[in-house]
Amino acid sequence: MVEPHSITNGGYTYIHDVDKGPIEAIDTHHVIARRNAAKSVIFNLSSFILIANPLFLFFVKDKLAMALLWSLILCAFFVKLFFQKPIEKESVIIMPAFGVQLETHYRSGRIIRRFIPIDKILKAVVNECVTPVTCYWTLSLIVRGEEELTLVFKEFRPPLKLLVPIWKALCAATDSADNPDAFTQEGSGS
Amino acid sequence: VVVMTHAYGNRSGVRYMTGGLKVYYVPWKPFLMQNTLPTFYGTLPIIRTILIREKISLVHGHQAFSTLCHEALMHARTMGYKVVFTDHSLYGFSDVGSIHMNKVLQFTLADVTQAICVSHTSKENTVLRSGLPPEKVYVIPNAVDTAMFKPALERLSTDEVVIVVISRLVYRKGADLLVEVIPEVCRLYPNVRFIVGGDGPKRVRLEEMREKHSLQDRVDMLGAVPHAKVQSVLISGHIFLNSSLTEAFCIALLEAASCGLLSVSTRVGGVPEAWLKICSFCLLILYFSVVLPDDMIVLAEPDPADMVRAIEKAIYRLPQVDPQAMHLRMKNLYSWHDVAKRTEIVYDRALRCSSQNLLERLSRYLSCGAWAGKIFFLVMIIDFLLWNLLRLWQPDVDIEVVPDFDPVHRERGNFSGDIGDKCSQ
């Protein structure tokens, strides 16, 4: 088995595994969310204070305004950090000439898998998505028969540096399905 | 060059135009006449993200009525970018709407690096409204796309004279004048027909006028004309009528002249100026070549009787008009390449201006007025604080810079190699 190749960028770690199976190499790309230690501490602290606040309110009635303000501020913190992604890892397993499997691993142990046959994938695209507050890159697949693009990473927003190798691998796999001779050239070139 | 605007319908996100121009359609909903609701600080995150990821050096805002423009310029100034503002319209000073607009404009222009106006009249108007020093304002007149606005290949017959009006049917564009002028001209000249393109609140009045004088067969109402169809509407006429009550620089007249139509317009704002340029060019040519028509435009005061007289003069002058000659003259005088070159000079000057620190900039806001000055000062301080808060939450280095690539030369192999190299840098 080839040595796993990893890059760390922007809160995510990317690991690339190539498993030389009996017929053809299976390409696996994992993106793992890095646990932010500071964030977990603040999360625990703020949830503790928030729980403690109503009790405080109950006992000290005259300092109502101050207490209310504190609770509101901490609520905001709490809400922001509460939406800690429950997803631990997202993977893309490329089986050339067969298909692509998208996996989502949750911290609770649940794994959701989705398989897309190779002939259904028209193209892998890297897109810029604009929201009212930000703009980020996504990797998606144009799938035959589906109106909307299929996102490869449902919740994660890995930076472009991590998306590009996966995109190149997906393009190589889909191109080789159309054109079987091209695969060996791409494999040795890129 | 990166363009940022709000989303139109379901057209939202990033689009690439001809030549690699990148456009961001930010999904803020427009609420009135293609304008988004003023959110003050709401657009700060997205503007900051775009300015950092595209490695922007200078921000150029257009049009005083655009709230997105004012907000973008405010945030760009807070973040230390150089800022240029272009004003495309003239406004009054007396009504409530104008007073508020002028105050907002004064706020934006208090700290702008350079400003561009489309005519000298517009420059006077802007300087008076905003109190900006005149040395900071440049005049670059608009151009017209002469490749698109070409005259008809065959000249129209002059048995029936067709007068074309294409404008927004609103008070500012003199729709009320049209209601008076059209029946009078139709009464005096039985061989004249009108084509009215455009839509707006005053359309109802024009429809009523049509019915009242039974002019259904002599006045065609086309409704809103998409920009791509304007040329085909123009070449179906002989004369172009513009009845605006106020106009900084009438590009519609240039488009009409480029299509070979004789123009009749109200003598307001920057209109005489645009034509002075063409007339002086004419005088030079007269010495050296065949006689050309002495004027491509007939001007009138914005009152119905004078406009009818002007239309009479235009109809009389019609046989002498040569559409192809007019088109060639326009081609030589007004070109977008020229405008682009001049705009680049303004950008160079703006980039060479020295950067100022926060205190110097804030003191300029205080001089805007007794109450207004203090409000503006407060607004900018809050903006500065919010910006720093945002930098703590999401530092500048966390925002990825978009790799530079040339979509014009995009081939599959080259592209993927290119982007891979740029990303690994």
Side-chain angles (χ1 to χ4, degrees):
Chain A
M1 197 164 112
V2 179
E3 202 42 53
H5 160 65
S6 82
I7 311 171
T8 301
N9 193 314
Y12 296 99
T13 307
Y14 161 67
I15 299 177
H16 180 197
D17 247 329
V18 180
D19 198 357
K20 289 249 183 267
I23 306 162
E24 267 174 28
I26 295 178
D27 220 0
T28 315
H29 306 261
H30 302 286
V31 173
I32 305 168
R34 283 219 319 269
R35 291 202 93 125
N36 194 334
K39 274 199 174 162
S40 333
V41 166
I42 297 172
F43 171 71
N44 292 322
L45 195 68
S46 57
S47 43
F48 169 72
I49 294 175
L50 197 76
I51 294 166
N53 237 335
L55 297 167
F56 186 66
L57 252 169
F58 184 67
F59 287 117
V60 188
K61 290 190 175 78
D62 51 351
K63 293 222 178 116
L64 202 64
M66 244 343 245
L68 208 68
L69 189 66
W70 266 113
S71 337
L72 279 169
I73 294 172
L74 285 166
C75 233
F77 244 116
F78 179 67
V79 163
K80 165 74 188 154
L81 294 173
F82 180 75
F83 290 109
Q84 251 182 343
K85 300 180 183 102
I87 298 177
E88 189 203 344
K89 175 169 90 167
E90 292 213 50
S91 315
V92 180
I93 304 169
I94 305 173
M95 290 161 265
F98 194 46
V100 172
Q101 174 145 301
L102 308 170
E103 290 186 357
T104 308
H105 300 246
Y106 288 84
R107 277 189 221 280
S108 52
R110 190 163 63 120
I111 306 176
I112 295 189
R113 297 186 174 89
R114 185 184 169 173
F115 179 75
I116 306 170
I118 202 82
D119 51 354
K120 281 227 159 168
I121 302 176
L122 290 166
K123 192 94 174 101
V125 287
V126 175
N127 246 350
E128 279 172 293
C129 297
V130 183
T131 66
V133 288
T134 187
C135 181
Y136 56 93
W137 294 95
T138 53
L139 175 62
S140 3
L141 300 169
I142 304 178
V143 177
R144 201 191 297 271
E146 300 226 358
E147 255 185 37
E148 296 194 358
L149 296 172
T150 306
L151 286 172
V152 170
F153 297 110
K154 303 246 169 344
E155 302 287 329
F156 282 178
R157 291 182 186 177
L160 188 64
K161 258 199 189 146
L162 304 190
L163 290 177
V164 169
I166 309 175
W167 171 70
K168 277 189 183 174
L170 280 166
C171 283
T174 44
D175 270 2
S176 68
D178 300 333
N179 185 359
D181 299 324
F183 180 62
T184 42
Q185 287 174 341
E186 283 293 334
S188 50
S190 58
Chain B
V1 177
V2 173
V3 176
M4 184 180 135
T5 178
H6 65 77
Y8 288 86
N10 63 350
R11 189 182 176 86
S12 132
V14 174
R15 296 280 191 277
Y16 288 91
M17 304 289 180
T18 329
L21 178 71
K22 187 169 181 181
V23 185
Y24 281 85
Y25 291 94
V26 179
W28 283 98
K29 284 236 171 305
F31 84 110
L32 180 71
M33 296 197 319
Q34 309 268 319
N35 250 321
T36 46
L37 204 63
T39 60
F40 282 99
Y41 306 110
T43 43
L44 180 58
I46 184 69
I47 288 174
R48 175 175 170 254
T49 306
I50 292 176
L51 292 179
I52 293 175
R53 74 200 305 265
E54 298 286 345
K55 294 185 291 196
I56 301 292
S57 6
L58 184 136
V59 178
H60 186 171
H62 289 263
Q63 194 57 291
F65 263 142
S66 163
T67 48
L68 189 61
C69 165
H70 289 296
E71 287 179 32
L73 295 185
M74 169 171 83
H75 298 315
R77 272 318 268 155
T78 309
M79 294 191 266
Y81 291 91
K82 300 283 190 306
V83 149
V84 177
F85 177 72
T86 295
D87 200 355
H88 293 267
S89 316
L90 286 176
Y91 298 101
F93 292 87
S94 52
D95 56 299
V96 181
S98 294
I99 294 177
H100 285 304
M101 206 59 242
N102 291 341
K103 253 336 189 210
V104 172
L105 195 71
Q106 198 179 17
F107 168 67
T108 301
L109 292 182
D111 200 20
V112 81
T113 317
Q114 305 289 353
I116 299 176
C117 289
V118 294
S119 63
H120 290 282
T121 315
S122 171
K123 173 174 172 171
E124 266 180 58
N125 189 275
T126 303
V127 166
L128 283 170
R129 273 152 71 204
S130 64
L132 202 60
E135 311 82 63
K136 270 198 183 176
V137 185
Y138 293 84
V139 175
I140 303 179
N142 283 331
V144 65
D145 188 359
T146 46
M148 180 163 140
F149 290 96
K150 283 196 159 80
L153 293 164
E154 277 183 26
R155 282 197 75 161
L156 294 169
S157 80
T158 41
D159 304 332
E160 189 190 47
V161 176
V162 181
I163 301 183
V164 179
V165 180
I166 299 185
S167 82
R168 279 184 297 134
L169 300 173
V170 293
Y171 168 70
R172 274 172 65 108
K173 298 287 181 183
D176 298 304
L177 273 175
L178 282 178
V179 172
E180 311 279 323
V181 166
I182 293 178
E184 188 58 27
V185 173
C186 286
R187 189 180 64 83
L188 289 170
Y189 292 93
N191 64 334
V192 166
R193 222 169 36 92
F194 279 86
I195 296 180
V196 179
D199 208 346
K202 296 281 178 182
R203 188 176 172 176
V204 182
R205 281 204 70 192
L206 281 161
E207 303 271 9
E208 279 174 5
M209 174 265 304
R210 248 174 117 205
E211 281 187 25
K212 188 169 152 193
H213 295 100
S214 318
L215 294 169
Q216 284 90 338
D217 53 339
R218 297 185 61 192
V219 177
D220 279 329
M221 304 281 297
L222 298 176
V225 181
H227 192 74
K229 297 256 167 53
V230 168
Q231 191 253 357
S232 51
V233 173
L234 285 174
I235 57 174
S236 63
H238 301 90
I239 295 176
F240 181 77
L241 178 60
N242 173 48
S243 54
S244 305
L245 300 177
T246 165
E247 197 74 74
F249 184 93
C250 192
I251 211 175
L253 290 177
L254 297 185
E255 290 170 356
S258 183
C259 288
L261 276 80
L262 183 60
S263 305
V264 176
S265 171
T266 43
R267 189 196 309 267
V268 286
V271 171
E273 202 178 306
W275 292 90
L276 202 62
K277 197 170 168 188
I278 298 187
C279 292
S280 44
F281 186 72
C282 289
L283 283 166
L284 209 58
I285 295 283
L286 269 170
Y287 287 119
F288 303 110
S289 69
V290 187
V291 171
L292 289 164
D294 44 20
D295 240 350
M296 288 199 282
I297 188 170
V298 183
L299 293 170
E301 298 304 317
D303 113 271
D306 208 31
M307 287 193 68
V308 173
R309 263 198 296 274
I311 295 178
E312 276 179 1
K313 255 198 278 184
I315 296 175
Y316 181 65
R317 214 188 274 180
L318 209 50
Q320 299 155 354
V321 164
D322 179 11
Q324 296 290 347
M326 278 173 88
H327 174 77
L328 278 165
R329 253 198 282 167
M330 295 304 294
K331 208 160 136 172
N332 291 331
L333 281 172
Y334 288 96
S335 94
W336 284 113
H337 288 287
D338 186 45
V339 172
K341 249 195 295 196
R342 292 161 81 166
T343 311
E344 255 188 277
I345 295 175
V346 177
Y347 290 160
D348 284 330
R349 297 256 171 88
L351 287 171
R352 270 186 271 142
C353 279
S354 55
S355 304
Q356 290 184 308
N357 65 12
L358 183 68
L359 282 146
E360 278 173 29
R361 287 177 37 227
L362 287 176
S363 60
R364 261 196 260 174
Y365 286 105
L366 279 172
S367 61
C368 282
W371 280 111
K374 297 187 177 59
I375 296 175
F376 294 162
F377 183 81
L378 209 66
V379 166
M380 286 310 278
I381 291 258
I382 297 176
D383 198 34
F384 182 74
L385 289 171
L386 282 173
W387 174 52
N388 278 305
L389 219 70
L390 206 59
R391 282 168 90 199
L392 277 172
W393 187 262
Q394 185 185 34
D396 284 355
V397 289
D398 279 355
I399 299 177
E400 277 186 284
V401 168
V402 171
D404 253 335
F405 66 94
D406 186 2
V408 181
H409 295 114
R410 201 172 54 190
E411 281 171 81
R412 229 225 108 239
N414 291 348
F415 183 54
S416 56
D418 224 20
I419 205 166
D421 292 336
K422 293 278 157 43
C423 277
S424 53
Q425 280 163 13

